[in-house]
Amino acid sequence: MIEKFMSLNTVGVPLDRGNVDTDAIIPARYLKTLKRTGLGVGLFFAWRYDMDGKEQPDFPLNRPEYRGGKVLVAWENFGCGSSREHAVWALMDFGFRAVIAPSYSDIFHNNCLKNGMLPVTLPAAAVRSLIDALLAAPGGKVEVDLAGQTVTGPNGDIHAFRVASFAKTCLLEGLDEIALTLTSAAEIDRYERERKKATPWLFLDLAG
Amino acid sequence: MPTLFEKIRDRHVVTAREDGNVLLYIDRQLIHEVTSPQAFEGLRLAGLSVRRPGAMLAVPDHNVPTTPDRSVRIDDRESREQIQALRENALGAGIALFDITDPRQGIVHIIGPESGLVQPGITIVCGDSHTGTLGAFGTIAFGVGTSEVEHVLATQTLWQRMPRRMRVMVNGALRTLVTPKDVILAVIAKIGASGGTGYAIEFAGETIRKMSMEGRMTVCNMTIEAGARFGLIAPDETTFAYLKGRPLAPPPSLWDAAVADWKTLPSDPDATWDREVELDASNLEPHVTWGTSPQDALPVGGVVPDPEAQPDRSERARMRRALEYMALSPGTRLTDIPVDKVFIGSCTNSRIEDLRAAAAVASGRKVHANVTALVVPGSGLVKRQAEEEGLDRVFVEAGFQWRLPGCSMCLGMNPDKLTPGERCASTSNRNFEGRQGPGGRTHLMSPAMAAAAAVSGRIADVREVAR
Ligand code: SF4
């Protein structure tokens, strides 16, 4: 069951970088867990702390003006690299509920939706204006309205965004996708019966 | 006039939604210890069971140490617990498991093909982004997150938005010591780390056709580094010959029917593409990366580029950051960059051909005094074959460490990792900041090039070393 997505009006946190990969979002050594919770401690670890474990004061997540922000704004190809869903779990555990970027890796985008986190895609120019505004006046608020499909920047500029209708419903209602898919169980059964006739070699048990 | 990708998709659609998403039947799922525990836990909490345990195969690889003592003890408690959880989850559900002491254990993307379970025309997923490796067999193979692992365990399906179609044509004969790794690094440098986003990339052309299955897997392995969801290659006689007789391939009674089916899969000659890219491989040089994105690849004869010459503001900033992280300055010749570690392994380059290529360079030479070099076979079966061919002795005599199979130094989550500031010549697929360990610096290259770096103590042109 995913968390319902609520509209946000919160401090926007600018991350003025492109191609932010999931190894940067959550380093591999934090993946040795059996849980989905508690991953916030490792979020952006190598960027938040120096080699001696001291906070890097300039990194946006460490600056007092940005603390508690729930919307992260970053550049293109956000969440590229490893498929680790831990990246989304870490962002959410830290408090983020939405990311705004010009593009995402496919897997990261999917992983967000499965967890009730909203990946907003905006044109590069809109992202530029948001990042610039948040850097110029730290602590500025960003409003994310999923029902209305708009982002309102700190300067009051409104950006419309698109979201797949199914994903939107799932986010707003917190739907359980597996339970939903299982309502198609009869179709899956039928598919398997037919495929078994056409390609029987794919139905041999791998466990022998 | 459908493409290979569309033909495979069409035969896997269970049902479709109005928004264009399709419920795709997933023939097979590979499972490893890091991205699956939460999926099994989710099933338990929902009171669900695994729908088709016989369609799954599990293996521990990311966390396992590569030293011989691993069968008796693993010091890291969390690693031990993840490996144990995988064992319990697999055995509890009746899922095949290649456990840590099984001679077939190895990196998930190596053992799948090796066992014969990856066959043309199938859909296959794994909670790992390099699942695209398996597209080399003419499959729809892609990496998924843990929620999707759970969805497949419970339903044997996934909802998917279908990608657009890109074809990358590679023509021309590769020159001596230029390898499939150089081809894919050049492709990524050409289209960029996000150039493939939203696409399924079919690799075609004479260069690809002439590659072995091992080489094709190296190419498809790194498709994700160009941002693409899948990479795939049409099945042909090379594919069928590779599969024939493997334990989980179609048995003799079904073999001819399977091959007849597979032959219908290649893209039709008049198939249409949303984007086409061409690469002339005949003049290709061995490639290495200088930065922190796989797109930062250059011919080995090149120099570290200058960010100030880059017109685009955000790319300029990215390059400056990369050079700072890599501790390199513009204009430095790539072959003047010293290395501390050499890693020959990972699902990109740990198959038998990769080890042969590295051994050919290592043979009769010595690992440089400043370098620690590791060779990590991709699986127990690759290791055995290499030992039968005497490659282990070549490596050990040259001063390389010969290890047990696993992901090893490809990612920093088992004992093999870089320490801060260390520089590594690596045959893996990612040079991201901290990928091989916090503060570690990675230069991606082919196995032959990595072996050349090991004996030279710096990045070197293997064609000069092997001369
Ligand atoms: S070898 Fe590296 S890229 Fe391949 S599965 Fe293991 S960690 Fe992932």
Side-chain angles (χ1 to χ4, degrees), chain B residues 61-62 107-109 128 130 221 346-347 407 410-411 429 435:
Chain B
D61 59 359
H62 284 58
I107 304 170
V108 66
H109 311 306
D128 188 285
H130 291 99
N221 174 273
S346 90
C347 56
C407 293
C410 175
L411 92 172
N429 43 46
R435 169 76 181 181

